[in-house]
Amino acid sequence: GDNKGYVWDAETGQQLLILEGHTDEVWSVVFSPDSKRIVTSSADQTARVWDVETGQPLLTLTGHTDNVWSAVFSPDNKRIVTSSADKTARVWDAESGQLLLTLTGHTDDVWSASFSADGTRILTLSFDNTVRVWDATNGQLLYTLSGHTDTVRLARFSRDGARILTWGNDN
């Protein structure tokens, strides 16, 4: 389709690259921590990894069976976590594209997933009104935050990993 991303020079505003390949709406775009790659997620049920210098697609992460709402790199650039309308989050090897873990248990769309700053834990938030925290190494569920009475919109680890902030539409 007519689905394109652009990379721009932040100093000059010059257009550097066009990213093409997704076949449906793109929901999230983010640079890797080392700024060498980009990961995008899409309604085409994939996430894609791109080279920042060339704009070439490096990997297509396939396996989700519905919209991929978000995709982010781990702090060490080595893994990617995706979240999907298929009620799962998945952890991938960012070099090979191999699926490493599937995080299952949410009963509705997983809207976003992110790593803690030290890369040891993963936070998922779902339209089932819960936030879950997982061991990023083995995919084990550590605990569920279930205080919200309506959709949780945002969830983040603090930089030091000591706190989690969640925000929702509670009345």
Side-chain angles (χ1 to χ4, degrees), residues 94-107:
E95 296 298 326
S96 68
Q98 184 189 345
L99 178 64
L100 301 174
L101 300 169
T102 302
L103 310 180
T104 57
H106 281 295
T107 58

Side-chain angles (χ1 to χ4, degrees), residues 14-33:
Q14 183 188 349
Q15 184 185 303
L16 302 175
L17 297 169
I18 299 175
L19 308 180
E20 290 181 279
H22 279 295
T23 58
D24 206 336
E25 202 160 350
V26 170
W27 298 114
S28 80
V29 298
V30 34
F31 285 97
S32 58

Side-chain angles (χ1 to χ4, degrees), residues 39 51 54 62 66 69 76 85 90 120 136 140 142 150 163 168:
V39 65
D51 183 283
T54 66
T62 57
D66 206 331
W69 293 123
D76 65 3
R90 295 177 191 225
T120 62
Q140 190 113 23
L142 299 175
D150 202 341
R163 302 272 187 280

